[in-house]
Structure formats: structure tokens, C-alpha cells
């Protein structure tokens, strides 16, 4: 089996070498206009191990990252710098900073020290804008004698003018909420426990106030509904297998988080979206952005890449909006869209068609071999007249994204009307791992509700970004997302898009476009 | 593609011909010692369609069924007799029965009439012990002008001496609870809404008081904890894809169901367990048994069987028991075990080994070709020393159940220590459907917590029943289950069991056994 050195994603953050897992401490430097992203990092080996560090990368656009080496390391080799977050302490509430440090760069990191039998919360601060960190002298700041107590995420709660930490008692299925005025003294406030799907561990909690938009996409300034969101990752034991990230919409009063409904919801329907980390700060100071680890603990240790393993997702921006879950019920849902500006990229020819009534015996082909570097974007809007779909038929509309060098390898995406579900097939590959690993599911499904439905005609939308070995899909303007890795032979980048259907004139493609992209070399 | 006529399960209920989906109205006749099972049935075609009927089968042991034809049919061809339940009206509360009908056979069925735009609840009663039904003259008994209002499940609530119905407002995500003293006049009591994973529809709710056992397996007579369970099926939109059944443990006071925790839990980790139907009555009058549809709406219409489609699961018996979810947390969980008495079956040689330390370069083979009819049972207990597992290894213990006629076809089951997960591979098959249908996932995972753990040695148990095209697995004495269909060439029944591991002496099999079985021809 050849290891896939060449297929390292271009626009997704990967480790320079070694192992990457959870994103940590994502923050935005408003002075420099720069994103800082840290991550769980083992530079020595492309496998999780102790000691583990915070790796560090920076990016101005979120689509191309520059590696900055190790930001935080453990005091001893038998400890781990586990996951956590970063804040900007503008007002020097911690007392760590002199006036020499610009308020916009007063970065404090909160992370979990893992030793044999103990996990406790630590504080480190940076005097150089996030590149190097000093450990707070009186660490740990929070030690309750627990062995599975980790992943502090700290936010500023403007309404009560204090810091709020959410941190997981992983194997007791509790998210503990603490408050502080100085980032070092923490007071217990409440617990958010036994919510959603529990799996076998809660990890990487987060809490964020998310902008609420109306149907026209305008922000509702005085929201009548709660617009706080609690994020909880679970692994192992997600119903879809292994690792997944849940979210809960509700109200946070500075002390307690109260979900609006008791329901369980997942952020992403793919197999590879874990440990979601929202950013502290953003370019306009109020948008909520964040990213996740694009892998799954069921197979992360074995993915067939060379001397590096895993990537993060693209940065995504979030908002809450009413979603028509069914024709009888609508409710707030978490919408996401990728941070994605093609002006920052080299662009190939834009292939675009519209108004196609898809016939069963025809194949529509886009030749996109020119400029194929493994990075491309596509979008499609399609409709189906449900009354014309026979229950006895397999009624698909499929997109085959085929390798430029060999069409034996391809990603197949599609929709099947009787299942009401979108699908991703990621097993049309020459890579042994894809077939041999029993957890790397070849087929991934996203059960879709229509974007709109009128007189029995249901309309759907999908937008996708494919980056060498990871695909991110956004459905119906971001009401659902699916992130999934895939592996094909080195440099067999996607060069052909074929559109097919097994049924005649059931589907109409209102609009389809696809474009090769590449990152710009500085 | 050959259609799989010969591979019809032996011990699972399948339709004589045509289409089967949800089980309905399961009840036990204490006079005759007979189970009656009804199900959604289209006798004309192996595809879901209107009109749809209640098919009917009876069994004394629950492992072999006799077909009884159609029990309930719609008044017009454009209507459907949708899902519902049956009760035994011992005291003739309904007034339908004369003294000529034995109290143990006074069967009343409650079901949903589906017409274009309306779903309402209907009552039918049987004067011949469940074989034929009369429609109540004043039907419907419950019509609230809704188009997605279905699947009434009725129980007797002894504490308040009245009937309780749970019924789904499917696309509003509410389970409505009604009460009645006579089965025809129904009073609204409460709603259980927006709980668990919602998907795009709630279907087939059920409510049952489940025996509570202590760690020694003895029933706790005056339980200190709530032992009511609400069941809610969702389809489409289950996180694992398509259709799945959830359960909630809590308290029911005759009016309102209150879950103990807000968590979402699934009854079964396979792909094929939907529309769970608990029985009314049981041989000892207090056990709770039930069964489900062993299929998934994502691919049910396309499964490659001939003139019949789908089966139900085996009957299962349920209890609640404390489960060590993690080493730090235990809570009540729903345990299940199959109704499975091999005294009722022809038995082949029992293959049995114990104390095997599995070496990476060895293959242990059980030749089970003799007597292979596609029905067999196996069990295994294994342990793994987690400290000896390298993170860099794919550390599996695998069971290959290979075809007696051709070993090209096999089911692979196994456990991988780094993922902490059991897996099922169902794609080693010559059947095109298995590979071509994008929803028929080739790989199914069951994230397991250990049965016990001591000094880093984790022990696990699995018990499995394989019946031609369906496998039911029970882990750790029934704390988890996984039911999954699979399809191999006609009559290529399992004849070989091979045990392999990719790692040396990491696994120890304490106990393994396997046996060919067959139903006894009367």
C-alpha cells in the first residue's frame, strides 16, 4: 500500500509531520488580522502518544496556514498538554500583562494537564501574541482530584462581566460550568449533565452565543428566542459510530445553561467532524466561527497517510435560523457555512449548466482535468416530483467525481428519492485501507428534508468543497453539513464530473456548477 | 443478480409473499398458549403500497410461525390499515364480547386508518381469538383532523385501572398520551415531545413497565427507581442513517411520562431494527417481550429477495438493570435477550473451545459444513490486556463466518482494541445489491464498554444468532444488541468459522462455541 504523501489537503490545516487531533485555543488577533489555531500534536510520530503538545499555525484567511511549531509543552515527558482554549484578556483581568502588550494580543490559554491518574486545568499566557507561552506560577487553577476532567473552553460573558468555563467530567457525562473574574480563581456554578447521546465519554465542550437570523438572512437584534448553543463531543459511542459532535440550543443566564428542548442533535452528518472548537474573537468581533478535527477515533490511528495524520476542517461561520424540519414543524437550527473566498485562490474554468431534465439513458460530463490539483468546489440545486417516483425504483441522481489519472477511483455523491437521503460513497479506491479497515464505512448517508416543497415538487441544494482527502458538504444553505475523509491513489485528483440518474426525467437540475481551484503560492 | 429465494430465514417471521414492514398488535393467547403477531402487509407485491393490510401469523414458541393470511383490511382500496396494537379486554370493558368468548381471547385491535390527508384511530375486535376482526360501528374513535397521527399502542395501566394509548403526531415530534375505560372513548392526558433524536418523523411509540433486576439477576419487587420505558422509532433521520428505535427510561404515573434523564438512547446498534412492538401479555403474565421490523427504510424497498421482502426480528425479552457505562458511572439500561430455546430445534455438533491465547500467525478453524441450513448460534467471551495494545496497531480479533459452498462469501465480525469497538462486515458477498445500494452500509460498528475490567484486562461477551439473511448479536449479557441483515448467494449457508487476530497474544478467548441448527419439520 502506497502511503499518500502527495494527497495532503491544500486549504485544510494538517500537521507538518506527526500526529494531529483536536483543535485547541482558536483565537483571532485583531491587531495583526491573524487567526491562531493550536491543536493536539505529537511531532515525533504520526500516532497519538504521550508527551503530547499544542501545535500552532497561523492564517490570515483561514484557507492557508503557516506552521509555527510547538506552542505549549508539558513540564515532564510523562504528561500531556491536553485540549483547551484561548482567550484575549483585553482588560488584563489576570494581571499577567504589562502595558507593553497590546490589549488585542493578551492571550491566555487554558488547558488540561494529563498525568497518570489526574487531569487538572492549567493556565498559560503569552507575552508575544500567541507564539510562546509561560506557565502560570500557581498552576493548576482547577484540580478536583479527578482522572477524567478535561478540555476547558473559556468565554467572556458580557452580561455578567466575567469569564465562564465549560469543562467535561468525561466519564460521568457532566459538563461543569465555572466562573472567574481573573482567569485563575474559578467558582463552580452549575452542571449540564446526561444530555443528548452520551456515548462513553463527553469531550471538548463549548458554549457560544450565536447570531440569530430571520428568514431573509438579517440578524435579529433583540432575539425573542434563546440563542446560546452548548457543544458536546462524544467518543466513542456516537450512534453513527465512534466520534461525533452534538449541539444544544438554549438559554445561558451566566450561571446555568437550559436547553430549549431535550432533543439530541448533531453538528455534522459525516464520519469526520469531532472536537468542535469555536473561536475567541473574530474579524468583526461578533461573528462565531470555529473548526473541528476532520477524523474519527475509530480509524484515526490507521489512516493511510505518510508521516502526517489528520487535518482539521475548514473554518466555518455559524448562525441560528428557523428550519422547516417537516411540513408541520419548524424550529431553530444551527446553520454553518465555510469560510471560503475563491478570490484567495487560483481558479480554473467555471463549468456551469442549468435547467437539465435528467434522462436515465444519458450521461452529462464535465471535463475538469485541466488544473486538477485536488482542490475544487461545486454546487447543485435539484428538484424531484415525488408523485412520479415509483416505490419499486431505486431513484437516484448521482454525481461521479472521477480521478483525472484513473477513473477507476471516484467519489460518488447522490440523492435517492425513496430514501429521501443524500449519500456519499468513498470506497471506489485502490487504497487497501479503505476496504480493509472495518470502521472506515464506505457509505455515508445524510437524510435530507427539502429546502422547499410545493405541489409535490421538492427542491434541495448542496454545496461542496473537495480538498484532496476531505470533502465538506453543506445542504440547503447550511442547515445540514457532512464532512468525510476519503483516500485515493497519490495525485489521482478529481478531473471528471459525470451526472447520471437511474430514472427518466424524475429529476430536474435547476443549477449545477463546478470549478477547479488551487492555493496561491506566495 | 439472482434473487434470493432460498435464503428466507427459518426462525424469523417473513411474509408468505409480498411486502412486510412494522410488526403490529403482538399479543399472547393464554388459553391456547399461542403468540399472535400481525404486521404491515402488501400481499400483492413485494413493495410498500396502498391498500395495505394487517397480515397475521401465530407461533407457540416464537421461533416458528404459521401464516394466517389477512386479519384486517381497509374498507376501500385507497385506504391503508396502518400500524397499531392489540389488547386482551378480559373484563369486556368495551362491551364487544359475550360470555361465549373466553376472557383470555377477547382481542381488540387499535390501528390507524390512512386516507389521503387524514389519519385517525380505529378499533376492531375479534370474536374468534384474533383470526378475524369486525370494525367497531362508530369508528374512528380518535380523529383530530391530522394527516400524520398514527400507530396507537394501547396498554392496561393497573394502578389507575384504565387503558392508556400512546400515539404519534409524527411530524410534530410529539407522542400523545390518552386514557380510556372502554377502548372507544379516549381522553387526552399529556404529550411527550421533542425527546431524543427526532429525525424527520416519530413513529410507532410504545410504553411498557419493564421488570427491574439486581446484579444477581433477581427481580426487585419494590423498585426504588422508575421502571417504565417509552419507545419511539424515528425514520428517516436516525443519526446512524434511516430508521432506528429509541428508548427512554422514566416514570409513568397514569397521566404523564417523565424520563429520568434527558439522554437519547437506541435499542439496537445494527442497521435493521425498527418499529419495536412490545407484546400485550406473555406466558407468565408479567414478562415484557416484543419484536421489531428487521429492515431499514433507506433500502427496504430494494433488498434482493424474491417475491417476499423483509422479516421481523426474533422475539426478545427485556429487563432493566444497572449497567457500568464507564468505570465512573453506572445507570439503568434496557437489557434484551432473544426468545431462543434450542430444544425446539434440530441441533448439530456443538463446537466448543476455551482458553485460547490468540497468536497472530495462527488460524483456528471450526468446520461446521455438516448440517448447514443457514441457522446457527455462537457465543464468545474474550479479554484483552489494554496495556499490551500498541496505538500504532490495528489490533483485531476477528471471526470469519464463511459460506459452506464458497468461502468467497463470508460475514466478518470482530473487535478492535484501539477503537474499543465491535464490527460487522456484510459486504463479502456476490450479490450486486450489497455493493451497489449506497445505503446498505458494508460496515456496522458497535462501540462496546467492557463487561468487566480488572488490572487493565477488559473482558467482553457476545452471543449471536444467524438466520440465513439476518444476524442478531447480544453483547455483555444483553446490555447492547445489534441486528443487521446481510445477503449472500442462494444456499451458500455458513459452514466454516475461522478465528484470526492481527496481533500476537493480545487477545485471550476464554470461551467460544458455535452450533448449526435447523427448525424441526412438524
Amino acid at each position: 500500500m502506497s502511503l499518500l504523501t502527495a494527497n495532503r489537503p491544500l486549504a485544510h490545516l494538517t500537521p507538518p509531520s506527526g500526529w494531529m487531533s483536536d483543535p485547541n485555543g482558536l483565537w483571532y488577533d485583531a491587531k495583526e488580522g491573524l487567526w491562531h489555531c493550536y491543536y493536539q500534536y505529537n511531532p515525533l510520530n504520526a500516532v497519538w502518544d504521550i508527551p503530547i503538545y499544542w501545535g500552532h499555525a497561523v492564517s490570515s484567511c483561514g484557507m492557508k496556514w503557516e506552521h509555527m511549531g510547538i506552542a505549549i509543552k508539558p513540564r515532564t515527558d510523562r504528561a500531556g498538554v491536553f485540549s483547551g482554549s484561548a482567550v484575549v484578556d483585553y482588560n488584563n483581568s489576570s494581571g499577567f500583562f504589562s502595558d507593553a502588550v497590546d490589549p488585542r494580543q493578551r492571550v491566555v490559554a487554558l488547558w488540561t494537564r494529563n498525568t497518570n491518574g489526574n487531569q487538572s486545568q492549567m493556565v498559560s499566557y503569552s507575552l508575544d501574541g500567541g507564539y510562546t507561552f509561560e506557565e502560570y506560577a500557581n498552576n493548576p487553577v482547577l484540580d478536583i482530584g479527578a482522572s477524567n476532567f478535561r478540555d476547558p473552553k473559556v468565554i467572556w460573558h458580557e452580561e455578567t462581566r466575567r469569564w465562564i468555563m465549560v469543562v467535561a467530567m468525561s466519564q460521568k457525562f457532566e459538563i461543569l460550568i465555572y466562573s472567574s473574574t481573573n482567569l485563575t480563581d474559578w467558582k463552580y456554578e452549575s452542571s449540564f449533565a446526561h444530555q443528548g447521546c452520551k456515548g462513553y465519554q463527553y469531550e471538548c465542550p463549548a458554549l457560544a452565543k450565536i447570531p440569530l437570523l430571520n428568514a431573509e438572512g438579517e440578524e435579529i437584534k433583540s432575539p425573542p428566542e434563546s440563542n446560546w448553543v452548548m457543544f458536546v463531543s462524544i467518543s466513542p459511542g456516537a450512534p453513527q459510530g465512534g466520534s461525533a459532535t452534538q449541539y444544544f440550543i438554549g438559554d445561558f443566564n451566566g450561571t446555568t445553561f437550559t436547553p430549549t428542548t431535550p432533543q439530541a442533535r448533531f453538528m455534522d452528518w459525516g464520519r469526520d467532524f469531532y472536537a468542535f472548537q469555536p473561536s475567541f474573537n473574530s474579524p468583526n468581533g461578533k461573528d462565531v466561527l470555529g473548526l473541528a478535527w476532520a477524523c474519527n477515533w475509530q480509524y484515526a490511528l490507521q489512516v493511510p497517510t505518510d508521516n502526517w495524520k489528520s487535518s482539521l476542517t475548514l473554518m466555518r461561520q455559524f448562525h441560528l435560523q428557523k428550519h422547516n424540519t417537516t411540513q408541520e414543524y419548524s424550529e431553530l437550527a444551527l446553520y454553518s457555512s465555510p469560510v471560503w473566498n475563491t478570490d484567495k485562490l487560483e481558479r480554473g474554468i467555471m463549468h456551469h449548466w442549468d435547467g437539465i431534465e435528467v434522462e436515465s439513458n444519458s450521461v452529462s460530463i464535465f471535463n475538469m482535468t485541466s488544473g486538477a490539483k485536488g482542490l475544487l468546489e461545486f454546487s447543485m440545486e435539484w428538484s424531484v416530483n415525488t408523485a412520479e417516483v415509483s416505490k419499486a425504483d431505486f431513484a437516484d441522481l448521482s454525481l461521479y467525481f472521477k480521478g483525472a489519472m484513473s477513473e477507476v477511483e471516484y467519489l460518488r455523491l447522490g440523492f435517492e428519492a425513496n430514501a429521501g437521503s443524500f449519500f456519499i460513497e468513498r470506497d471506489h479506491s485502490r487504497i487497501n485501507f479503505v476496504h480493509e479497515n472495518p470502521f472506515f464505512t464506505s457509505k455515508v448517508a445524510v437524510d435530507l428534508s427539502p429546502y422547499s416543497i410545493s405541489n409535490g415538487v421538492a427542491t434541495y441544494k448542496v454545496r461542496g468543497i473537495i480538498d484532496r482527502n476531505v470533502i465538506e458538504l453543506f445542504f440547503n444553505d447550511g442547515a445540514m453539513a457532512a464532512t468525510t475523509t476519503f483516500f485515493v491513489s497519490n495525485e489521482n485528483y478529481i478531473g471528471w464530473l459525470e451526472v447520471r440518474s437511474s430514472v427518466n426525467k424524475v429529476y430536474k437540475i435547476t443549477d449545477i456548477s463546478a470549478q477547479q481551484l488551487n492555493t496561491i503560492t506566495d
Side-chain angles (χ1 to χ4, degrees), chain A:
Chain A
M1 183 172 69
S2 70
L3 289 168
L4 303 175
T5 313
N7 290 6
R8 179 196 288 265
L10 296 169
H12 289 71
L13 177 56
T14 55
S17 66
W19 168 262
M20 162 189 273
S21 42
D22 310 351
N24 299 143
L26 182 68
W27 70 284
Y28 182 75
D29 178 340
K31 176 165 183 277
E32 299 292 334
L34 201 63
W35 292 103
H36 289 256
C37 186
Y38 310 88
Y39 56 89
Q40 291 289 289
Y41 180 39
N42 176 10
L44 300 177
N45 209 337
V47 70
W48 186 92
D49 204 356
I50 293 286
I52 201 156
Y53 306 88
W54 275 28
H56 181 209
V58 297
S59 175
S60 56
C61 62
M63 297 162 64
K64 191 172 183 184
W65 295 89
E66 189 180 351
H67 292 295
M68 291 294 152
I70 291 169
I72 306 181
K73 61 181 69 175
R75 285 185 219 161
T76 74
D77 277 357
R78 296 312 308 152
V81 177
F82 274 23
S83 287
S85 56
V87 299
V88 181
D89 184 17
Y90 293 94
N91 298 322
N92 196 20
S93 69
S94 61
F96 294 143
F97 303 98
S98 70
D99 288 349
V101 182
D102 189 285
R104 295 166 293 183
Q105 296 183 321
R106 292 175 175 170
V107 184
V108 178
L110 298 105
W111 50 278
T112 300
R113 179 180 59 193
N114 178 74
T115 60
N116 190 12
N118 181 271
Q119 293 185 344
S120 53
Q121 313 323 318
M122 310 285 276
V123 163
S124 296
Y125 54 95
S126 175
L127 301 177
D128 62 358
Y131 295 89
T132 64
F133 285 84
E134 310 285 325
E135 260 205 37
Y136 170 53
N138 296 321
N139 270 337
V141 296
L142 198 51
D143 181 356
I144 58 174
S147 54
N148 286 291
F149 177 49
R150 60 181 178 266
D151 309 339
K153 170 66 184 173
V154 177
I155 61 169
W156 174 251
H157 189 250
E158 180 59 31
E159 295 82 348
T160 57
R161 309 270 320 150
R162 57 185 185 172
W163 302 103
I164 295 294
M165 178 196 290
V166 290
V167 56
M169 286 291 281
S170 295
Q171 298 194 6
K172 293 189 194 296
F173 308 104
E174 293 184 42
I175 305 303
L176 304 186
I177 301 178
Y178 290 86
S179 67
S180 176
T181 54
N182 61 5
L183 292 169
T184 50
D185 296 303
W186 291 95
K187 174 174 171 276
Y188 173 79
E189 295 286 346
S190 69
S191 165
F192 177 75
H194 305 297
Q195 299 278 347
C197 291
K198 289 164 62 173
Y200 300 130
Q201 287 188 129
Y202 276 179
E203 291 196 318
C204 299
L207 185 62
K209 190 175 189 177
I210 310 264
L212 181 66
L213 305 193
N214 64 19
E216 286 71 44
E218 299 153 349
E219 187 172 351
I220 299 170
K221 297 291 178 188
S222 305
E225 300 188 69
S226 303
N227 61 334
W228 284 87
V229 177
M230 179 76 86
F231 301 91
V232 181
S233 287
I234 54 172
S235 181
Q240 50 277 66
S243 316
T245 305
Q246 298 176 93
Y247 75 95
F248 304 87
I249 299 174
D251 182 59
F252 179 64
N253 62 6
T255 299
T256 317
F257 178 81
T258 309
T260 310
T261 66
Q263 72 181 295
R265 293 206 269 196
F266 290 92
M267 283 188 79
D268 191 285
W269 284 66
R271 295 297 321 279
D272 299 290
F273 190 96
Y274 190 65
F276 172 68
Q277 169 86 201
S279 167
F280 191 94
N281 203 10
S282 63
N284 71 2
K286 59 178 193 164
D287 285 341
V288 176
L289 298 94
L291 42 64
W293 182 43
C295 205
N296 191 310
W297 278 112
Q298 280 191 328
Y299 48 74
L301 297 162
Q302 281 104 29
V303 292
T305 50
D306 198 354
N307 62 335
W308 59 277
K309 273 201 168 51
S310 298
S311 74
L312 303 185
T313 66
L314 294 172
M315 296 271 287
R316 292 185 189 174
Q317 183 166 339
F318 297 88
H319 71 266
L320 299 179
Q321 191 173 328
K322 276 261 166 130
H323 175 247
N324 294 323
T325 314
T326 68
Q327 290 187 68
E328 299 182 20
Y329 190 75
S330 66
E331 67 181 329
L332 284 186
L334 184 67
Y335 280 67
S336 63
S337 57
V339 172
W340 193 247
N341 179 355
T342 54
D343 293 345
K344 306 275 186 186
L345 298 168
E346 282 180 20
R347 287 175 286 192
I349 296 161
M350 171 67 86
H351 298 263
H352 179 255
W353 291 346
D354 54 27
I356 305 169
E357 198 167 30
V358 187
E359 297 181 17
S360 61
N361 54 355
S362 77
V363 183
S364 303
I365 301 179
F366 290 17
N367 179 345
M368 303 172 66
T369 48
S370 171
K373 291 287 184 294
L375 182 64
L376 73 159
E377 181 179 22
F378 73 95
S379 65
M380 178 172 73
E381 181 178 307
W382 73 97
S383 62
V384 53
N385 189 333
T386 53
E388 285 175 18
V389 179
S390 162
K391 287 279 180 199
D393 282 341
F394 174 77
D396 75 315
L397 171 64
S398 291
L399 306 180
Y400 294 80
F401 288 94
K402 298 193 169 184
M405 297 197 313
S406 164
E407 299 190 19
V408 169
E409 296 188 313
Y410 58 91
L411 266 181
R412 179 185 176 197
L413 312 180
F415 180 80
E416 203 279 319
N418 278 311
S421 192
F422 199 90
F423 57 85
I424 305 161
E425 290 180 358
R426 56 176 179 171
D427 63 337
H428 307 288
S429 167
R430 288 181 167 144
I431 304 300
N432 291 343
F433 163 85
V434 168
H435 306 283
E436 291 177 356
N437 184 287
F439 302 111
F440 192 79
T441 46
S442 54
K443 299 163 181 179
V444 178
V446 185
D447 292 343
L448 283 184
S449 54
Y451 178 75
S452 68
I453 188 161
S454 171
N455 297 321
V457 177
T459 302
Y460 303 84
K461 294 183 189 182
V462 65
R463 176 185 181 194
I465 295 163
I466 303 175
D467 186 9
R468 291 198 169 171
N469 73 20
V470 57
I471 175 167
E472 301 196 31
L473 297 171
F474 300 88
F475 299 95
N476 297 343
D477 294 344
M480 297 180 77
T483 304
T484 284
T485 52
F486 65 100
F487 299 96
V488 293
S489 303
N490 256 335
E491 299 190 41
N492 191 20
Y493 305 132
I494 289 158
W496 304 85
L497 168 56
E498 295 187 9
V499 183
R500 295 170 182 261
S501 174
S502 54
V503 285
N504 197 40
K505 297 186 178 179
V506 165
Y507 287 99
K508 186 171 179 179
I509 297 177
T510 327
D511 193 277
I512 186 169
S513 65
Q515 185 173 33
Q516 293 285 9
L517 299 165
N518 194 5
T519 44
I520 293 170
T521 310
D522 297 323

